[in-house]
Amino acid sequence: MTCLPLSGFATRAIHAGYDAAAHDGALVPPLHLSSTFVFESAEAGAEIFAGEREGYFYSRIANPTVDLLEQRMAALEGAEAAVATASGMGAIAGVLWSFLQPGDEIIVDKTLYGCTFAFMRHGLARFGIRITHADLTDPANLSAAISKTTKIVYFETPANPNMRLVDIAAVAAIARRHGARTIVDNTYATPVLTQPITLGADIVVHSATKYLGGHGDLVGGIALGTAADMQQVRLVGIKDMTGAVMAPFNAMLVLRGLKTLKLRMAEHCRSAVAVAAALDAHQAVAAVHYPGLAGFAQHDLARRQMPGFGGMIAFELTGGYAAGVAMMNRLNLVQRAVSLGDAESLIQHPASMTHSTYTTEERREHGISDGLVRLSVGLEEVDEITADLMQALDAVTAARVSVDA
Ligand code: 3LM
């Protein structure tokens, strides 16, 4: 198994968009903190504002450091252009506000990150946009649900938190036939494992807080797509509607993270395969949801669509929620924290944390079980990650912690 879908990826992740000779020979790109940019004349300023002349003028619209990150990410995702944002939610909100009007419909998969779900259900819906959930793991469900009012088809693959996969090419083809844009949240897979635009999607969004940054020291996001779509996101969704622009310092941290993205993803994938197998073999574990396991319901799609299976695992204990809590409290190395894609292994309980924006009823309807535990496999020694999980599971088994405890 390899995590490397394209030759040249690592080279682009380190060099794309930057010429040291144009920056006094600086190997590392300069950090431009300036919020505003000086015009050589009043006329030049007016021309830049009118879009008749190229140039930076204010960092809510564009900034040279952020611009480099946008170019580099576009080179990794196979996109024409990108807009970096203050957070993953900033990217999602900025994109959706740019393309939806009252009366439009958006079809979304059943499983979404909790705040994306809340933004759609409690945010967009208040402004007259219809949110329809469909199980997009079967593209036929999209064909059945899509209509003339559908403007956007939106999903995550793998989905947070239960790891469901969507066949990007099949779903994007149906959406395109009906004139709807396909938007994919590629946070879990990263462009190392999937490049949705090359498979027919129109727009990709990311939480750069996760694998792209990779070190748990920033909050950021990015949207990618055609130059025309990204211009609309920049000037409508970000400049005027949300103002959710990425800070230059954060762009610099993401640029640093990207240099090791391919290496890090290869290790996350390798370790997660081993950890998933160990969890699967433990008697206290009722189910492991990991695309790399032969028993995973969509294992064939995973093999076709992802050259590596990623670093995220979801699992359920035979003792249910009580056992999950007891296990989490016995961990020494794996950290109890939300977020994902960091060097540190992180564990959390979606029903009470990342997906507490769903009601209990909504979680049941959307296939997010209350006993589910989510693990982001980090970059520590894999034997030590596994040993920590195994000792915690052994302790739970010995104490017979269960739903009835
Ligand atoms: C989390 N997720 O722990 P930011 N899309 C996906 C995500 O997982 C996330 C976002 C978008 C988590 C954050 S929960 C309080 C912590 C697939 C974030 C939003 O706005 O950068 O956090 O991205 O699952």
Side-chain angles (χ1 to χ4, degrees):
M1 184 205 69
T2 170
C3 284
L4 322 176
L6 280 180
S7 67
F9 186 97
T11 307
R12 276 177 277 145
I14 293 167
H15 293 283
Y18 184 65
D19 176 9
H23 298 278
D24 303 313
L27 178 69
V28 172
L31 167 56
H32 291 275
L33 291 172
S34 197
S35 51
T36 195
F37 297 81
V38 177
F39 305 127
E40 65 183 49
S41 67
E43 291 84 354
E47 283 169 21
I48 291 172
F49 260 79
E52 292 159 4
R53 182 198 275 235
E54 286 217 351
Y56 298 103
F57 60 98
Y58 190 58
S59 285
R60 177 156 43 79
I61 293 88
N63 166 282
T65 307
V66 179
D67 194 34
L68 176 60
L69 171 64
E70 292 168 349
Q71 287 180 46
R72 199 160 283 180
M73 274 300 295
L76 299 182
E77 285 280 9
E80 284 176 13
V83 179
T85 55
S87 63
M89 287 312 300
I92 294 164
V95 165
L96 293 178
W97 285 134
S98 296
F99 297 111
L100 291 170
Q101 309 284 338
D104 288 347
E105 180 193 45
I106 164 168
I107 297 184
V108 297
D109 186 35
K110 278 184 158 314
T111 302
L112 294 171
Y113 164 59
C115 295
T116 306
F117 176 82
F119 171 60
M120 291 179 180
R121 268 289 168 98
H122 310 306
L124 290 178
R126 275 172 46 211
F127 296 90
I129 292 155
R130 193 147 59 91
I131 316 297
T132 302
H133 290 276
D135 179 352
L136 297 182
T137 59
D138 181 354
N141 292 330
L142 178 61
S143 299
I146 201 161
S147 72
K148 281 204 292 289
T149 56
T150 310
K151 293 297 183 308
I152 285 173
V153 175
Y154 185 103
F155 57 89
E156 301 168 3
T157 180
N160 184 355
N162 55 17
M163 304 300 294
R164 287 150 49 101
L165 303 183
V166 175
D167 184 332
I168 300 170
V171 164
I174 297 166
R176 183 149 303 197
R177 272 204 300 282
H178 289 81
R181 281 184 177 82
T182 299
I183 302 179
V184 181
D185 184 329
N186 201 27
T187 299
Y188 263 42
T190 83
V192 177
L193 303 180
T194 317
Q195 291 132 25
I197 289 171
T198 67
L199 297 174
D202 298 286
I203 293 177
V204 162
V205 291
H206 278 280
S207 170
T209 316
K210 313 297 179 336
Y211 291 107
L212 303 183
H215 296 77
D217 52 9
L218 68 100
V219 173
I222 193 157
L224 302 106
T226 63
D229 276 0
M230 290 305 106
Q231 186 72 345
Q232 190 158 342
V233 170
R234 185 181 301 283
L235 298 181
V236 178
I238 300 299
K239 176 173 83 70
D240 293 342
M241 295 186 85
T242 62
V245 65
M246 180 180 274
F249 187 73
N250 282 4
M252 176 124 189
L253 290 175
V254 180
L255 282 165
R256 184 164 68 168
L258 289 182
K259 293 183 187 184
T260 55
L261 180 64
K262 185 172 127 176
L263 274 177
R264 288 186 286 108
M265 287 311 293
E267 182 70 2
H268 283 299
C269 290
R270 254 194 309 275
S271 295
V273 165
V275 171
L279 288 171
D280 205 31
H282 199 285
Q283 58 172 321
V285 177
V288 180
H289 308 283
Y290 183 66
L293 290 174
F296 183 72
Q298 297 170 288
H299 183 60
D300 289 345
L301 173 59
R303 292 178 68 98
R304 195 153 40 83
Q305 188 165 278
M306 304 170 72
F309 302 114
M312 298 300 297
I313 300 173
F315 61 100
E316 287 165 74
L317 301 190
T318 50
Y321 172 61
V325 169
M327 190 267 307
M328 285 173 61
N329 283 337
R330 287 177 193 268
L331 291 165
N332 301 313
L333 174 64
V334 176
Q335 304 291 304
R336 288 173 292 276
V338 297
S339 204
L340 57 109
D342 290 332
E344 296 81 0
S345 292
L346 305 178
I347 197 160
Q348 65 106 14
H349 175 237
S352 65
M353 297 173 190
T354 53
H355 291 71
S356 55
T357 49
Y358 291 67
T359 62
T360 308
E361 187 52 38
E362 284 168 345
R363 276 196 301 279
R364 195 170 308 129
E365 253 174 56
H366 293 253
I368 301 165
S369 103
D370 279 358
L372 201 71
V373 174
R374 189 191 77 182
L375 175 66
S376 171
V377 178
L379 300 175
E380 303 95 338
E381 299 294 342
V382 61
D383 292 348
E384 292 170 11
I385 301 170
T386 308
D388 193 33
L389 290 162
M390 293 301 113
Q391 65 77 25
L393 289 170
D394 289 346
V396 167
T397 311
R400 293 174 177 279
V401 182
S402 77
V403 196
D404 323 310

